[in-house]
């Protein structure tokens, strides 16, 4: 099959939230959000962290570095999940962000389901922010026909 | 969709929209059509990395085009401000239309540049912030410089957002709904938008931090790199686009061609553009 024909076939895509656990924010410098530990999250290969950032008014430079646990920020470390940047427009509320975290969970070898899961949001620029975050168990399907 | 349906869709497009995207006309052909088409596809313009020796000619043409667009009256839809206004009024963000709309936008802008620069082989050069994290020097000099900007020559794109690890995370994610965003009106960033896209807009700052960001000539070079990332994900890595009628039935009608005439661009044409109308200097599948 040519690249063009394959490209136009596409695939049935699905991104369904099966369960989600809202986090509780603890504000001490970096923003730390704690989620209940569950075996479902530990075992799943499709876990996403979704979050909104409040306190962004007008054009804002910067973003958040996201880590699991409360480790020292190191983007080369196992706990690093990813980075998101702000881009706010007048009249438009900032959209929610999404980061897959299963790979980081696996790297950390998180095996104790009773242990609370924490995510740490480190602003790249010093400004007051609030984060509302949720850990979500996802069904992500990519099915070529 | 069956393979047969996909092939028929491709052939229809190759005979129509795809050829139009490549600037071809079967009716005007004097040579065997197949040879003309193959040559035109193989020799389609190449979008090159700013900083490479081969991009110098395109940058020179880009300067002429920007100056010419700024000099056009506002009654002309190709006028520089009118082009930026398109983004302000129609540009979708935080949805799966983010990537295709911006591809169509760049495609038509490139056509306008080609017409107004007099360079029929022009292809939009792109800023590869993943390897050259500083704003290119060409964009600090007229006419590509822009006064309403925060980023200086020392401002550096952060590898946390544009470095190899960040791009690898995007390229390895197989679901377009995660990479490109969900169908509207859900309103959620995809990985491309929330990472390198937003970061570089903020890094340059000023007007680039607003919906009138295309007023800054660096906008087009930035979005070229984002489009290259989508090409790498979709074509080189062979991750699929949605097989959804809502996706494939989308049309963009707000753009104009190089002469200022309105155009209608289907999603299928948008998807095929990097295979028939232009390609990137790094593109593996051509």
């Amino acid at each position: 099959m040519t690249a063009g024909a394959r490209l136009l076939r596409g695939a049935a895509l699905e991104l369904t939230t099966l369960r989600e656990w809202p986090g509780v924010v603890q504000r001490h410098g970096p923003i730390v959000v704690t989620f209940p530990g569950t075996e479902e999250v530990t075992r799943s290969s499709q876990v996403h962290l979704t979050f909104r950032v409040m306190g962004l008014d007008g054009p804002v430079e910067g973003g958040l570095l996201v880590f699991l646990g409360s480790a020292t920020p190191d983007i080369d470390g196992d706990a690093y999940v990813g980075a998101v940047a702000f881009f706010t427009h007048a009249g438009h509320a900032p959209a929610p962000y999404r980061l897959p975290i299963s790979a980081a969970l696996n790297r950390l070898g998180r095996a104790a389901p009773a242990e609370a899961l924490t995510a740490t949001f480190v602003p790249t620029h010093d400004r007051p922010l609030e984060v509302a975050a949720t850990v979500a168990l996802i069904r992500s399907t990519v099915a070529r026909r | 969709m069956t393979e047969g349906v996909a092939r028929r869709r491709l052939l229809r497009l190759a005979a129509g929209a795809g050829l139009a995207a490549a600037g071809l006309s079967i009716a005007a052909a004097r040579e065997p059509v197949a040879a003309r088409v193959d040559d035109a596809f193989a020799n389609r313009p190449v979008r090159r990395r700013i900083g490479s020796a081969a991009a110098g000619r395109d940058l020179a043409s880009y300067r002429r085009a920007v100056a010419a667009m700024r000099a056009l009256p506002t009654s002309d839809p190709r006028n520089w401000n009118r082009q930026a206004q398109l983004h302000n009024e129609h540009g979708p963000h935080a949805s799966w239309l983010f990537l295709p709309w911006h591809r169509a936008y760049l495609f038509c802008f490139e056509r306008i540049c080609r017409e107004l620069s007099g360079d029929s082989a022009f292809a939009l050069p792109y800023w590869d912030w993943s390897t050259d994290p500083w704003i290119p020097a060409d964009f600090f000099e007229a006419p590509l410089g822009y006064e309403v900007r925060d980023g200086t020559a020392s401002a550096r794109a952060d590898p946390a957002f544009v470095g190899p690890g960040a791009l690898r995370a995007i390229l390895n994610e197989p679901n377009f709904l995660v990479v490109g965003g969900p169908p509207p009106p859900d309103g959620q960033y995809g990985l491309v938008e929330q990472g390198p896209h937003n970061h570089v807009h903020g890094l340059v700052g000023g007007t680039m931090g607003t919906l009138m960001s295309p007023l800054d000539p660096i906008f087009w070079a930035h979005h070229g790199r984002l489009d290259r990332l989508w090409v790498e994900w979709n074509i080189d890595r062979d991750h699929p686009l949605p097989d959804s009628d809502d996706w494939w039935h989308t049309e963009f009608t707000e753009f104009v061609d190089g002469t200022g005439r309105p155009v209608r661009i289907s999603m299928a044409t948008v998807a095929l553009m990097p295979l028939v109308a232009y390609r990137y200097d790094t593109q593996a599948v051509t």
Side-chain angles (χ1 to χ4, degrees):
Chain A
M1 196 189 311
T2 66
R6 188 166 175 80
L7 189 154
L8 290 175
R9 282 184 81 179
L13 305 181
E14 185 185 333
L15 196 63
T16 305
T17 301
L18 302 176
R19 286 197 64 185
E20 53 188 10
W21 295 267
V24 178
V25 177
Q26 302 158 25
R27 191 64 210 281
H28 304 291
I31 302 157
V32 178
V33 185
T34 305
F35 307 91
T38 87
E39 199 165 341
E40 288 171 284
V41 166
T42 306
R43 288 183 173 176
S44 173
S45 62
Q46 296 186 333
V47 182
H48 288 180
L49 182 66
T50 60
F51 52 99
R52 282 184 175 276
V53 183
M54 283 75 74
L56 302 172
D57 297 316
V60 178
E61 186 184 356
L64 293 170
L65 305 178
V66 184
F67 304 85
L68 293 186
S70 50
T72 304
D74 172 12
I75 69 168
D76 296 318
D78 288 342
Y80 180 59
V81 171
V84 302
F86 308 135
F87 188 24
T88 58
H89 313 295
H92 295 259
Y97 298 91
R98 174 192 296 277
L99 284 172
I101 61 171
S102 300
L105 281 170
N106 289 339
R107 283 197 302 271
L108 294 173
R110 200 172 162 277
E115 183 186 338
L117 174 65
T118 60
T120 303
F121 300 82
V122 182
T124 60
H125 291 62
D126 187 25
R127 63 166 50 89
L129 295 171
E130 288 181 39
V131 172
T134 299
V135 161
L137 201 61
I138 298 293
R139 180 170 63 232
S140 177
T141 305
V142 179
R144 288 187 189 271
R145 294 198 176 93
Chain B
M1 190 189 335
T2 66
E3 185 173 339
V5 172
R7 185 165 289 132
R8 284 196 296 278
R9 180 185 278 175
L10 177 66
L11 290 173
R12 276 201 310 274
L13 284 160
L19 292 181
L24 300 173
S25 166
I26 289 177
R30 293 177 184 169
E31 304 163 28
V33 171
R36 278 175 49 87
V37 169
D38 287 348
D39 288 349
F41 284 3
N43 298 321
R44 63 195 189 278
V46 180
R47 293 184 179 173
R48 300 185 189 281
R49 179 180 62 83
I50 292 169
S52 67
R57 173 192 162 133
D58 286 323
L59 274 171
S61 297
Y62 188 40
R63 290 188 189 93
R64 290 198 303 277
V66 170
M69 291 171 77
R70 284 179 175 149
L72 288 173
T74 54
S75 58
D76 191 316
R78 300 171 300 170
N79 166 275
W80 187 255
N81 285 19
R82 291 277 304 272
Q83 284 294 302
Q85 197 63 37
L86 279 175
H87 186 263
N88 188 37
E89 293 176 3
H90 300 282
H93 294 82
S95 96
W96 71 5
L97 296 180
F98 168 74
L99 287 170
W101 188 91
H102 284 85
R103 175 177 288 172
Y105 189 34
L106 261 63
F107 172 80
C108 292
F109 177 80
E110 190 173 59
R111 290 306 178 97
I112 295 169
C113 288
R114 214 170 276 168
E115 180 76 19
L116 295 178
S117 68
D119 179 357
S120 61
F122 171 77
L124 193 63
Y126 65 88
W127 170 23
D128 187 359
W129 20 250
S130 67
T131 57
D132 302 310
W134 294 274
I135 299 171
D138 303 274
F139 289 81
F140 288 101
E141 299 168 2
L144 303 185
Y146 192 67
E147 60 273 20
V148 191
R149 196 188 273 168
D150 300 328
T152 63
S154 63
R156 183 178 193 275
D158 186 334
F161 299 92
V162 302
L167 300 190
R168 194 164 48 245
I170 293 171
L171 292 169
N172 287 342
E173 167 57 51
N175 194 328
F176 183 78
L177 303 180
V178 178
V179 170
D186 281 4
Q188 174 123 37
Y189 286 126
L191 297 180
V192 174
E193 187 175 1
Q194 73 185 14
H197 169 263
N198 285 3
H199 173 65
V200 173
H201 271 278
L203 174 79
V204 178
T207 303
M208 271 287 276
T210 75
L211 285 177
M212 287 299 284
S213 47
L215 286 175
D216 188 332
I218 197 76
F219 169 93
W220 306 92
H222 168 41
H223 271 269
R225 180 63 180 87
L226 295 169
D227 186 58
R228 191 192 115 181
L229 183 58
W230 186 22
V231 168
E232 289 169 344
W233 182 89
N234 178 212
I235 298 175
D236 291 344
R237 298 289 187 104
D238 195 25
H239 294 307
L241 299 173
D243 185 7
S244 152
D245 284 347
D246 287 341
W247 167 267
W248 290 112
H249 289 171
T250 298
E251 284 191 332
F252 303 119
T253 59
E254 53 269 48
F255 303 118
V256 297
D257 68 9
T259 63
R261 289 177 305 191
V263 293
R264 179 182 294 270
I265 301 178
S266 71
M267 186 63 83
T269 298
V270 171
L272 285 172
M273 280 174 179
L275 290 174
V276 299
Y278 64 86
R279 68 180 173 90
Y280 287 92
D281 50 1
T282 57
Q283 198 166 318
V285 177
T286 59

